Amino acid sequence: MSDVALLQGVRAALAHPQGHYIDGQAVTGNGDAFPVINPATGQTLAEVRAADGAQADAAMEAASAALAGWQAMPTLARGTLLLKLADALAAHREELAQLESLCSGKTLMLARMLEIEQSVAFLRYFAGWAGKISGETLDVSLPSFNGEKYTAFTRRQPVGVVVGIIPWNFSIMIAIWKLAAALVCGCTVVLKPSEFTPLTLLRVAELATGCGIPPGVINVVNGDGKTLGPRLIAHPHCAKVSFTGSVVTGQAVSQAAMAGGKRVTLELGGKNAALFLEDMEVDAIVNGIIEAGYLNQGQICAAAECFYLPVGKMDPVLAALRQRLEAMRIGSPLDEGTEMGPVANRPQYEKLLNLFAQARQEGSEIICGGYALDRDGYYIAPTAIRVTDPQATLMREETFGPVGTFIAYENDADALALINASPSGLAASVWTHDMAKALRYSEQLEAGMVWINMHTFLDPAVPFGGMKDSGIGREFGSAFIEDYTNLKSVMVRY
Ligand code: TXE
């Protein structure tokens, strides 16, 4: 197999320095240039000139100026524009998928399926909320002395300008979650992509303008998170921050937002667990592990990292898993036959190599992988590591890589206690044929999302977000409405 041919639009996007998208226009950055590195080669793909402070402010001003017009538009018209954007993404599926694959190392197949097709599905779902976001009428119990009557109602009003801070693992899809939720509620957005994947959202914003979404409703500014992020959050027009990323950065974002009295939603990673019960067969366990832990090189916030196996199943499962992982087709993300590409960037690559060194030092058993491939780019062999100590580093530190950590348990109550001892709680899964048991575990597992006999699947209708250190607030379902609107109460005497 070989790489697909790059489309002309992709080559054009890489050919000249990129900047930002502010008030309906592509603009060059006034700040320093930084490279976009192709993780499959380690070579520079393109250049972006960062936004300076004035450009960050201009994006916030544009989003604020666009609010009144966007809110005045009939709700169904706003929904129709989101549907048009969904159609535009579908029509530019290949171009966006290629560009994203080049920047992030995500396989082209996954970029098509998740970055584009899932984004289209999420946009259509959120568009369907247009005209359905409403308050309620309330009975009032105030006494009436002279025949006067009272009633009250609530309305949901858009919070205003939303700053969306986006990570590098799904730079289109995660941005669409935030953008679509904000826009359907009547908010406008300023999106800040990760510095590792700054290109595709510029194209999405341009497509949005082409669909008729007014200038200023969607703005994209690129640059260093540590300077640009706080500047956007502190801006007086920022009403809400929606952040997806690491726990440490999320905590800084939360403090900055709270200090300015802004709302904040945090979707942070963690150390998600998959618990396989005694009645599961070896093959089913291995399939489950691959689904839960290795998709997109493990770079999915909800992916499982710790696998709890019954003690008697551990050896046969690891033997079969090793065969499957060693047979995986690792290669260029642009080759349609590739099952696993590189990890997305150098810090991620180095972080994984350091974690492997630490695991060896602690005496954990490397079943397979645990090394970088001898080739250009940031390729890490799919890895399985057996630990015996629940305090091992790999039981606590998020690897965010193609790395499963395996620990045996004697009885599943002990496993549950260990899982719940984790400070994070984004997602967990339980695998068994005993549905009554699974439902009991779904109550007891301390995670915002619990899957039964599945893992990592997200659906726009199902709320998503973390417990404990893994976040604040929920995306999707109807839960997003709470986060993007203010609930106003109106009382009336008549
Ligand atoms: O994340 P950061 P990084 C985890 C994963 C990974 C680790 C580090 O374990 O190895 O995080 O990745 C912006 N104010 N996840 O360093 O720092 C930054 O520019 C405002 C899990 O890339 O969280 C980027 O746009 N913004 C995760 C975004 O925050 C700031 C997905 C995320 O960067 C900022 C990605 C600041 N002070 C990584 N500093 C998940 N939950 O899906 C940085 N940023």
Side-chain angles (χ1 to χ4, degrees):
M1 299 287 274
S2 58
D3 286 4
V4 300
L6 289 184
L7 296 176
Q8 173 52 30
V10 176
R11 282 189 268 123
L14 301 175
H16 56 91
Q18 297 276 340
H20 321 283
Y21 199 83
I22 300 173
D23 207 13
Q25 287 193 332
V27 293
T28 314
N30 291 334
D32 293 339
F34 65 92
V36 186
I37 306 290
N38 179 348
T41 62
Q43 304 296 313
T44 299
L45 253 185
E47 201 173 73
V48 173
R49 293 203 51 191
D52 63 5
Q55 287 180 309
D57 294 348
M60 296 302 294
E61 294 293 342
S64 177
L67 272 175
W70 185 241
Q71 288 167 12
M73 188 180 284
T75 50
L76 285 180
R78 293 206 300 254
T80 304
L81 288 174
L82 288 183
L83 290 174
K84 283 191 179 169
L85 179 58
D87 291 344
L89 292 197
H92 292 80
R93 169 181 183 264
E94 193 59 16
E95 174 194 335
L96 288 165
Q98 287 189 1
L99 200 52
E100 189 52 38
S101 178
L102 280 166
C103 296
S104 70
K106 184 175 290 116
T107 64
L108 184 59
M109 305 300 276
L110 210 58
R112 289 173 183 154
M113 199 171 80
L114 293 182
E115 294 282 25
I116 314 303
E117 284 159 25
Q118 275 294 88
S119 294
V120 168
F122 274 90
L123 273 168
R124 291 187 177 142
Y125 175 84
F126 281 110
W129 274 102
K132 302 187 186 76
I133 296 173
S134 57
E136 54 186 354
T137 47
L138 304 159
D139 278 342
V140 173
S141 55
L142 290 175
S144 169
F145 296 107
N146 297 309
E148 76 275 24
K149 296 184 84 179
Y150 296 90
T151 189
F153 60 91
T154 58
R155 49 167 90 239
R156 292 242 164 231
Q157 293 184 312
V159 291
V161 176
V162 174
V163 170
I165 300 179
I166 317 297
W168 42 260
N169 57 331
F170 286 99
S171 52
I172 302 178
M173 184 175 70
I174 292 177
I176 290 291
W177 296 348
K178 300 179 189 314
L179 171 162
L183 265 54
V184 77
C185 287
C187 302
T188 58
V189 293
V190 176
L191 300 171
K192 198 213 79 62
S194 163
E195 29 299 51
F196 295 109
T197 50
L199 301 185
T200 37
L201 272 188
L202 296 172
R203 187 72 181 112
V204 170
E206 197 173 48
L207 290 173
T209 301
C211 293
I213 293 181
V217 171
I218 301 174
N219 307 275
V220 180
V221 285
N222 277 308
D224 173 38
K226 290 193 173 57
T227 49
L228 198 51
R231 176 117 190 180
L232 296 171
I233 296 168
H235 195 282
H237 289 326
C238 167
K240 174 193 161 63
V241 186
S242 180
F243 172 85
T244 301
S246 63
V247 174
V248 175
T249 303
Q251 284 164 350
V253 164
S254 162
Q255 277 172 9
M258 303 286 221
K262 281 103 201 249
R263 287 177 171 229
V264 61
T265 310
L266 304 173
E267 197 269 272
L268 312 178
K271 199 74 199 169
N272 306 309
L275 171 61
F276 292 88
L277 302 190
E278 187 64 51
D279 63 335
M280 292 300 285
E281 307 75 12
V282 168
D283 280 359
I285 296 178
V286 172
N287 287 337
I289 291 168
I290 299 223
E291 170 184 317
Y294 293 89
L295 201 67
N296 195 32
Q297 293 79 264
Q299 302 165 125
I300 301 182
C301 49
E305 298 215 345
C306 287
F307 296 89
Y308 291 78
L309 301 184
V311 70
K313 292 266 163 66
M314 183 61 95
D315 287 340
V317 165
L318 289 181
L321 179 68
R322 178 184 179 155
Q323 277 193 359
R324 288 276 295 276
L325 294 180
E326 288 182 345
M328 263 189 179
R329 288 191 301 274
I330 303 173
S332 165
L334 287 175
D335 182 331
E336 290 174 317
T338 292
E339 290 175 306
M340 190 173 279
V343 297
N345 51 62
R346 179 163 277 281
Q348 190 58 29
Y349 176 78
E350 285 170 357
K351 168 176 158 174
L352 291 169
L353 294 179
N354 286 334
L355 283 169
F356 295 154
Q358 193 144 2
R360 287 191 174 91
Q361 222 169 44
E362 291 175 6
S364 300
E365 184 190 353
I366 313 278
I367 303 296
C368 61
Y371 55 86
L373 299 194
D374 185 16
R375 56 183 287 173
D376 290 341
Y378 309 136
Y379 286 90
I380 296 283
T383 299
I385 299 179
R386 185 200 322 232
V387 302
T388 49
D389 179 4
Q391 302 309 319
T393 303
L394 281 181
M395 293 292 290
R396 291 178 282 107
E397 290 268 322
E398 183 178 51
T399 68
F400 220 60
V403 184
T405 299
F406 295 83
I407 187 160
Y409 67 82
E410 297 276 353
N411 79 60
D412 38 90
D414 291 347
L416 181 72
L418 267 183
I419 293 170
N420 283 347
S422 166
S424 56
L426 181 61
S429 60
V430 56
W431 302 70
T432 173
H433 300 295
D434 183 341
M435 199 46 76
K437 216 170 184 183
L439 287 171
R440 286 189 170 80
Y441 276 114
S442 74
E443 287 170 28
Q444 291 163 356
L445 281 162
E446 293 173 4
M449 168 70 91
V450 176
W451 286 287
I452 297 175
N453 297 332
M454 60 189 290
H455 199 113
T456 321
F457 287 83
L458 297 180
D459 186 279
V462 183
F464 178 62
M467 288 165 63
K468 303 198 273 189
D469 281 358
S470 295
I472 303 172
R474 292 290 178 269
E475 302 190 275
F476 326 154
S478 58
F480 78 95
I481 296 168
E482 179 77 27
D483 286 323
Y484 288 86
T485 58
N486 283 316
L487 185 62
K488 180 179 283 179
S489 300
V490 181
M491 290 187 75
V492 185
R493 178 159 56 204
Y494 63 98

